[in-house]
Amino acid sequence: MLADKKAALTRLLQGYGRLAVAYSGGVDSTFLAAFANQVLPGQVLLINGISPSFPEDEAAFVRDFSARQQIRLLTVNTEELANEEYANNPPSRCFHCKTELFTRLRPIAEREGFPVLADGANADDLHDYRPGLQAAAQHGIVHPLQEAGLTKPEIRELSRELELPTWDKPAFACLASRFPYGERITAEKLKRVEVAEHALKELGFRVYRVRSHQQLARIEVGESELDRAYAMRRELVQRLKQAGFGFVTLDLMGFRSGSMNELLPAAVRQG
């Protein structure tokens, strides 16, 4: 079955002829970029949006990957924080973020001769709250991984076959996802979270989030790392206070992707 999906993806990419990829450095868009470059050698363009919600660690990975794979990369600064509908952080925040991103990326792709612009949305995204998909639809963004029916575990498996460094990379979402809906997002708050999460990375944690609740940092780590996090609580408090938080707590439920969505009414989560 996975072979059938891989074949379907190959046919989709061949049909495009040339492909620009909205590239974030995550598991999905990295696989799409690498696989597309095999199917369409020399006919793939990566475009990466840079903003305060995109940490420098990820930006460095994007640059390194494109260089290693010898795929052309263009970057563009996005200005979603200038949009009050984004900065006020409503449940539809991702819609406004993706609208800004695709509004910037689409003209670049077309200017460079790439009429088809794709993102890394996968089949699993259809079962989660993803307002960004609405923005993608409005801008004519294609989702080849989703169209081929590929799920996240399958993308990881295929990434491993390609020996991509992201095959076991933990899931990542933009830093704006660390804030509860309704708490205003600023560049300063985003930087505080970036510094705090970099501290967790330096301390050797693999799966982590620092959820920001005003002056309170709520740390989520993978279940297998909870005991270690508790044992290191004094160092964690010190490092996160240095980052600018006043209070530090450890979430005993561990890491959950999109945990801020747990407080949304079911009707909103289901679209």
Side-chain angles (χ1 to χ4, degrees):
M1 186 174 180
L2 184 55
D4 293 338
K5 293 182 180 182
K6 187 176 178 181
L9 178 60
T10 299
R11 289 192 296 272
L12 281 169
L13 296 174
Q14 289 173 335
Y16 299 148
R18 307 188 84 203
L19 183 67
V21 178
Y23 184 53
S24 68
V27 176
D28 301 321
S29 63
T30 295
F31 169 71
L32 175 60
F35 191 83
N37 196 48
Q38 287 191 351
V39 176
L40 303 169
Q43 301 301 313
V44 177
L45 173 69
L46 307 182
I47 314 178
N48 175 234
I50 300 294
S51 79
S53 68
F54 192 67
E56 174 53 34
D57 285 352
E58 295 298 313
F61 176 86
V62 164
R63 295 191 296 269
D64 181 68
F65 171 81
S66 64
R68 288 177 180 274
Q69 295 284 321
Q70 296 184 318
I71 308 175
R72 187 180 174 207
L73 169 70
L74 297 177
T75 61
V76 60
N77 292 322
T78 60
E79 304 291 341
E80 57 268 24
L81 278 173
N83 182 351
E84 287 294 302
E85 292 184 281
Y86 170 90
N88 287 330
N89 197 17
S92 59
R93 180 197 67 239
C94 284
F95 171 82
H96 302 294
C97 177
K98 293 296 188 181
T99 295
E100 166 68 10
L101 177 67
F102 296 139
T103 298
R104 302 274 180 171
L105 266 56
R106 169 62 74 187
I108 294 173
E110 293 180 352
R111 181 193 72 205
E112 298 295 325
F114 291 81
V116 181
L117 177 59
D119 68 7
N122 64 56
D124 292 332
D125 293 330
L126 294 171
H127 309 296
D128 196 6
Y129 177 61
R130 302 283 182 176
L133 290 176
Q134 300 172 25
Q138 292 182 8
H139 287 79
I141 308 303
V142 299
H143 315 299
L145 303 182
Q146 197 173 87
E147 289 186 51
L150 286 164
T151 64
K152 177 74 81 173
E154 291 171 334
I155 291 166
R156 288 189 183 278
E157 184 176 341
L158 292 174
S159 296
R160 187 173 187 175
E161 289 181 9
L162 293 180
E163 299 183 343
L164 298 176
T166 48
W167 77 267
D168 64 344
K169 183 178 181 178
F172 175 79
C174 81
L175 296 176
S177 68
R178 312 310 195 251
F179 300 85
Y181 296 114
E183 179 179 337
R184 186 175 177 82
I185 298 173
T186 66
E188 293 74 21
K189 288 181 179 180
L190 290 167
K191 189 64 180 179
R192 182 174 65 180
V193 169
E194 180 180 356
V195 172
E197 291 196 347
H198 185 72
L200 291 179
K201 180 179 180 180
E202 286 187 328
L203 292 172
F205 290 95
R206 176 167 172 73
V207 179
Y208 52 82
R209 293 287 188 274
V210 175
R211 308 291 187 186
S212 175
H213 302 262
Q214 301 293 348
Q215 281 296 308
L216 171 69
R218 175 169 58 87
I219 300 172
E220 294 178 10
V221 297
E223 248 187 275
S224 64
E225 298 180 288
L226 277 170
D227 288 344
R228 179 169 174 263
Y230 182 74
M232 297 179 65
R233 61 192 181 278
R234 290 182 177 83
E235 188 166 3
L236 287 172
V237 168
Q238 179 186 16
R239 294 293 296 271
L240 268 65
K241 283 198 169 187
Q242 288 174 349
F245 286 100
F247 304 95
V248 181
T249 187
L250 177 65
D251 190 324
L252 299 182
M253 293 176 68
F255 168 74
R256 288 99 65 213
S257 181
S259 68
M260 291 301 190
N261 292 340
E262 294 169 5
L263 300 179
L264 289 176
V268 174
R269 293 199 305 269
Q270 295 167 7

